[in-house]
Each structure stands twice: as structure tokens, then as C-alpha cells.
């Protein structure tokens, strides 16, 4: 755990444009920033883009950072704004929305530590699935394909897709049972 003095020193180094501060800030905050962006956008590629944009914006604005304050909330605010920009860009370029209409409400409030923890639990549970089962869930829930479309894309019978989906959902339910409470 970092001390307040270390945070202030890193914040000051970042503020004055010390090139060695940027990798430290990235190492310390990029993971939580990615989790925040992923929670808001629901898409790993867009979340990675949001983090990259946030770091570029933060580095450009580093001179305006108040080193007497914590760096983390400032970076998270920039990340949230970058995620909103990406969401709006995607919304304009897609005829049919792939994001839930409640996303705009969710963006207004930063994710709680519980939400970020739960997202981590889901990612860990997904990683424990068999690759073929995980692939079917990804195509269904992240890419929005129907089971028939998944069968066509993978070149497998529809019944195989249905059984993989069922098996994966049951396994996830077991792995995530502790989140129900």
C-alpha cells in the first residue's frame, strides 16, 4: 500500500511532466481505470481505448493537476469522460444501439468498489470455463448473436450451441453463487 507521501510525490512528478512518473502512474492505475471503463462500456476494446485516451488527456493536462490532491479520482474522472465520448461516438456510428439505454445513467455515477469486485469475479469465472463454452457465451452476450447465428459462424450444429450455452450458464451459476447473497 502506498503512503500519502508517495502519492503526493508521484502526483507532483506527474504534474511537472517527469517522464519517469508516467509508467508508474500507468502501472498503478491502468487496471482500475480499465475496470471502470469496462463497467461503463461493456466492451473490452472500447474500454482499452478509453484508458488510452484518458492517459493521453491526463498527460496533456498534467500541468493543471493539483498535486495536493489524490491522483486516482482525477484519473477516474478523465476515464469516465473518455468512456462517455466513446459511447457517444459508437452510438452515432451504429444504426442499432448495442448498449443498454441505462448506460447514460450508469455513467453519471462512478462504479462502486462492489461493482468493480463483482465484475472481476465474473471475469475470473468466465476464465474458468472451457474455451468452447466461453466462446459461445461471448458470441451470444457480447456480440449479440442468436444461437442460429452462432451455429453458422462456428460451423457446428444448433444443438451443439444450445448444449454448450446451457452447460456454460450452469457452470457460471455455480461459480458465481456467492454473488447472489
Amino acid at each position: 500500500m502506498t503512503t500519502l507521501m508517495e502519492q503526493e510525490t508521484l502526483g507532483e512528478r506527474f504534474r511537472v511532466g517527469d517522464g519517469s512518473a508516467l509508467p508508474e502512474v500507468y502501472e498503478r492505475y491502468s487496471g482500475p481505470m480499465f475496470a471502470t471503463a469496462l463497467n461503463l462500456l461493456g466492451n473490452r476494446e472500447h474500454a482499452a481505448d478509453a484508458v488510452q485516451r484518458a492517459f493521453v488527456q491526463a498527460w496533456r493536462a498534467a500541468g493543471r493537476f493539483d498535486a495536493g490532491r489524490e491522483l486516482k479520482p482525477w484519473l477516474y474522472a478523465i476515464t469516465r469522460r473518455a468512456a462517455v465520448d466513446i459511447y457517444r461516438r459508437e452510438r452515432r456510428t451504429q444504426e442499432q444501439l448495442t448498449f443498454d439505454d441505462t448506460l447514460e445513467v450508469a455513467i453519471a455515477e462512478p462504479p462502486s468498489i462492489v461493482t468493480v469486485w463483482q465484475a472481476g469475479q465474473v471475469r475470473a469465472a468466465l476464465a474458468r470455463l472451457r474455451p468452447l463454452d466461453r466462446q459461445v457465451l461471448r458470441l451470444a452476450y457480447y456480440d449479440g448473436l442468436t444461437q442460429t447465428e452462432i451455429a453458422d459462424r462456428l460451423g457446428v450444429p444448433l444443438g451443439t450451441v444450445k448444449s454448450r450455452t446451457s452447460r456454460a450458464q450452469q457452470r457460471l451459476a455455480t461459480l458465481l453463487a456467492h454473488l447472489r447473497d
Side-chain angles (χ1 to χ4, degrees):
M1 179 167 226
T2 60
T3 66
L4 183 58
M5 177 77 118
E6 289 171 332
Q7 288 177 8
E8 288 174 357
T9 302
L10 180 58
E12 177 59 26
R13 288 177 39 226
F14 186 81
R15 187 188 70 74
V16 298
D18 179 349
S20 68
L22 186 58
E24 284 183 55
V25 170
Y26 184 84
E27 183 177 329
R28 185 175 296 173
Y29 298 111
S30 64
M33 289 168 67
F34 179 79
T36 298
L38 182 60
N39 186 39
L40 295 172
L41 295 168
N43 178 297
R44 296 182 72 77
E45 185 177 314
H46 294 175
D49 188 23
V51 172
Q52 180 179 359
R53 287 172 182 236
F55 269 104
V56 169
Q57 291 170 7
W59 188 245
R60 287 181 180 159
R64 294 190 305 267
F65 172 67
D66 178 1
R69 303 185 73 169
E70 283 190 56
L71 193 54
K72 180 170 64 172
W74 185 69
L75 291 172
Y76 284 13
I78 294 171
T79 302
R80 284 190 301 276
R81 285 193 304 271
V84 168
D85 290 345
I86 289 169
Y87 167 75
R88 288 178 179 154
R89 179 194 71 203
E90 290 301 310
R91 186 174 179 182
R92 281 190 304 266
T93 60
Q94 294 178 358
E95 292 236 344
Q96 190 173 25
L97 290 178
T98 58
F99 297 100
D100 189 350
D101 289 336
T102 60
L103 180 63
E104 289 185 30
V105 174
I107 289 174
E109 293 295 320
S112 69
I113 191 70
V114 172
T115 303
V116 172
W117 176 79
Q118 287 174 337
Q121 294 294 300
V122 171
R123 279 192 299 279
L126 284 168
R128 293 178 61 188
L129 295 178
R130 292 179 12 184
L132 296 174
D133 294 344
R134 189 171 47 245
Q135 181 183 32
V136 169
L137 290 182
R138 183 184 55 78
L139 291 171
Y141 293 100
Y142 290 103
D143 296 348
L145 300 181
T146 66
Q147 290 183 326
T148 303
E149 291 169 331
I150 294 169
D152 290 343
R153 179 167 297 175
L154 298 178
V156 298
L158 179 59
T160 302
V161 171
K162 289 181 178 185
S163 64
R164 284 183 188 170
T165 302
S166 177
R167 182 176 48 240
Q169 289 171 334
Q170 289 172 358
R171 178 77 172 130
L172 276 179
T174 300
L175 292 170
L176 297 172
H178 65 283
L179 295 181
R180 288 188 196 130
D181 298 331

